[in-house]
């Protein structure tokens, strides 16, 4: 970030010292199956079918999710997953007998013999995976749907990229633009009200891909700031093929940010809270706005390009 106004500013020094902290999500469904001598990596099988009655045996009666080792059973042979044992006060949810720490090894070994299709089969994944490898595959499956990238709402829509583009346009009324360069003006009559509110999302069609430009007011600690950043509508491995720059300025000064767009697999909040974008302190934003500093008038320009 080129900051001719930021020299000696403790706010910017603090941001630079913090760096970027990105927490990668953990998959709680991936279990350690070493006690069963089950390989953690398995090749995709060409085909496989399992009856619904067998799958029902592997369904926890409490949480209704698939069970993974250690699968527990009571003295009467009723099973449940280890995660639900504390939820039932150590009593079998079926017969109410007290639960010990008896493992149902027979059911665990039955599960080890199964091969199942990916749960994202309807989105295009045709792989068949061993029961214990399936959660890890599904966590990383390239066919898994994306969540709606619209920030500032509790939107739960998921789907592939064409579906989400149509959803953003029709349901969220997001502005759509063609081209790899942009020039946006953000105006707010009372910039001293910063309520962690997302101001704008704009979608760009460029290089046959879609990109989301976010502009937002929020706080870093007690400091009110603005941030602009770009997200790529696709996976991270594809996002790395592109770069972008953002520029804002006024009164003969300017700030410039250059970076790589983050995938929409990373939530809007995760990107924002890692400060991965153009950050503008409110006092500096008002300086750029000119006039009596009582109204925010920022012009943000930028471009997207493909790395060779």
């Amino acid at each position: 970030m080129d900051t001719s106004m930021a020299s000696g500013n403790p706010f910017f020094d603090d941001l630079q010292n913090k760096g970027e902290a990105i927490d990668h999500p953990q998959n709680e469904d991936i279990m350690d199956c070493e006690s069963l001598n089950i390989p953690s990596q398995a090749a995709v099988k060409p085909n496989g079918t399992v009856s619904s009655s067998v799958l029902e045996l592997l369904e926890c009666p409490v949480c209704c999710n698939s069970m993974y080792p250690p699968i527990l059973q009571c003295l009467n042979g009723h099973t449940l997953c280890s995660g639900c044992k504390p939820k039932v006060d150590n009593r079998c949810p079926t017969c109410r007998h007290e639960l010990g720490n008896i493992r149902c090894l027979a059911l665990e070994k039955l599960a080890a013999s199964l091969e199942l299709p990916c749960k994202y089969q309807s989105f295009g994944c045709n792989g068949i995976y061993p029961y214990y490898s399936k959660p890890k595959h599904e966590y990383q499956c390239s066919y898994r749907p994306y969540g709606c990238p619209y920030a500032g709402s509790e939107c739960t829509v998921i789907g592939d990229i064409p579906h989400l583009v149509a959803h953003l346009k029709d349901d969220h009324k997001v502005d759509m633009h063609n081209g790899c360069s942009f020039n946006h003006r953000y105006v707010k009559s009372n910039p001293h009200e910063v309520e962690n509110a997302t101001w704008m999302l704009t979608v760009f069609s460029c290089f046959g891909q879609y990109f989301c430009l976010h502009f937002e007011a929020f706080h870093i600690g007690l400091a009110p700031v603005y941030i602009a950043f770009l997200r790529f509508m696709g996976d991270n491995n594809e996002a790395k093929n592109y770069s972008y720059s953002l520029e804002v300025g006024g009164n003969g000064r300017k700030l410039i940010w250059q970076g790589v767009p983050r995938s929409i697999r990373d939530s809007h909040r995760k990107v924002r809270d890692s400060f991965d974008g153009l950050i503008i302190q409110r006092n500096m934003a008002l300086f750029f706005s000119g006039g009596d500093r009582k109204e925010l008038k920022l012009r943000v320009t930028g471009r997207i390009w493909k790395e060779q």
Side-chain angles (χ1 to χ4, degrees), residues 179-231:
C180 299
S181 60
F182 44 88
N183 187 336
H184 279 286
R185 191 163 181 259
Y186 301 97
V187 178
K188 187 172 178 61
S189 59
N190 187 356
H192 294 280
E193 294 179 0
V194 179
E195 300 174 349
N196 291 320
T198 297
W199 284 12
M200 185 175 291
L201 169 64
T202 308
V203 174
F204 296 92
S205 175
C206 177
F207 298 110
Q209 306 288 349
Y210 290 95
F211 300 83
C212 297
L213 175 64
H214 296 266
F215 185 81
E216 180 174 350
F218 76 116
H219 284 93
I220 297 179
L222 298 177
V225 300
Y226 307 103
I227 185 170
F229 57 87
L230 201 71
R231 288 200 291 167

Side-chain angles (χ1 to χ4, degrees), residues 4 10-11 16 27 51 67 81-82 87 105 113 115 122 149 163 171 176-177 207 211 221 237 243 260 297 305 307:
S4 57
F11 170 78
Q16 292 170 355
N27 182 7
S51 68
M67 294 187 290
C81 71
S82 59
K87 301 176 184 177
L105 295 177
S113 70
E115 295 176 337
S122 61
H163 174 75
D171 298 330
M176 301 283 176
H177 296 276
F207 298 110
F211 300 83
N237 59 339
S243 295
V260 176
K297 294 180 180 179
W305 65 91
E307 296 292 347

Side-chain angles (χ1 to χ4, degrees), residues 228-245:
F229 57 87
L230 201 71
R231 288 200 291 167
F232 175 74
M233 296 189 71
D235 281 340
N236 270 314
N237 59 339
E238 298 176 85
K240 293 176 182 177
N241 295 325
Y242 302 91
S243 295
Y244 75 101
S245 64

Side-chain angles (χ1 to χ4, degrees), residues 15-275:
L15 285 180
Q16 292 170 355
N17 290 333
K18 286 183 179 179
E20 181 180 354
I22 304 171
D23 296 326
H24 296 281
Q26 300 297 318
N27 182 7
E28 296 177 354
D29 291 334
I30 300 173
M31 297 295 178
D32 181 7
C33 302
E34 291 180 357
S35 61
L36 298 177
N37 295 318
I38 299 165
S40 60
Q41 299 292 332
V44 179
K45 304 297 182 180
N47 196 5
T49 57
V50 178
S51 68
S52 59
S53 59
V54 173
L55 294 179
E56 287 174 3
L57 289 174
L58 289 162
E59 185 178 283
C60 175
V62 178
C63 65
C64 297
N65 294 324
S66 297
M67 294 187 290
Y68 295 90
I71 299 175
L72 303 179
Q73 67 176 25
C74 73
L75 292 175
N76 288 327
H78 303 125
T79 58
L80 81 161
C81 71
S82 59
C84 285
K85 182 183 176 183
K87 301 176 184 177
V88 295
D89 296 324
N90 204 37
R91 290 196 173 274
C92 174
T94 304
C95 67
R96 303 306 298 166
H97 281 186
E98 186 174 352
L99 287 169
N101 293 308
I102 306 172
R103 284 180 66 171
C104 186
L105 295 177
L107 193 56
E108 291 180 4
K109 291 180 179 179
L110 171 65
S113 70
L114 302 180
E115 295 176 337
L116 301 172
C118 173
K119 69 179 180 180
Y120 301 123
Q121 189 176 47
S122 61
F123 289 93
C125 183
N126 295 318
I128 305 296
Y129 297 87
Y131 184 86
Y132 291 125
S133 299
K134 195 168 85 83
K136 182 175 182 179
H137 159 74
E138 290 171 346
Y139 177 66
Q140 301 171 332
C141 180
S142 59
Y143 290 95
R144 69 193 190 278
Y146 299 89
C148 173
Y150 191 83
S153 73
E154 299 299 324
C155 185
T156 58
V157 170
I158 62 172
D160 59 17
I161 298 304
H163 174 75
L164 290 182
V165 169
H167 164 68
L168 288 170
K169 180 180 179 181
D170 298 336
D171 298 330
H172 293 299
K173 310 302 180 185
V174 169
D175 288 336
M176 301 283 176
H177 296 276
N178 292 317
C180 299
S181 60
F182 44 88
N183 187 336
H184 279 286
R185 191 163 181 259
Y186 301 97
V187 178
K188 187 172 178 61
S189 59
N190 187 356
H192 294 280
E193 294 179 0
V194 179
E195 300 174 349
N196 291 320
T198 297
W199 284 12
M200 185 175 291
L201 169 64
T202 308
V203 174
F204 296 92
S205 175
C206 177
F207 298 110
Q209 306 288 349
Y210 290 95
F211 300 83
C212 297
L213 175 64
H214 296 266
F215 185 81
E216 180 174 350
F218 76 116
H219 284 93
I220 297 179
L222 298 177
V225 300
Y226 307 103
I227 185 170
F229 57 87
L230 201 71
R231 288 200 291 167
F232 175 74
M233 296 189 71
D235 281 340
N236 270 314
N237 59 339
E238 298 176 85
K240 293 176 182 177
N241 295 325
Y242 302 91
S243 295
Y244 75 101
S245 64
L246 298 173
E247 180 178 315
V248 63
N251 287 327
R253 280 86 168 176
K254 65 182 178 181
L255 295 174
I256 300 174
W257 166 266
Q258 180 173 318
V260 176
R262 295 275 285 278
S263 165
I264 59 172
R265 295 283 189 206
D266 292 338
S267 70
H268 152 268
R269 182 179 294 274
K270 181 178 180 180
V271 179
R272 185 198 72 184
D273 291 350
S274 66
F275 314 138

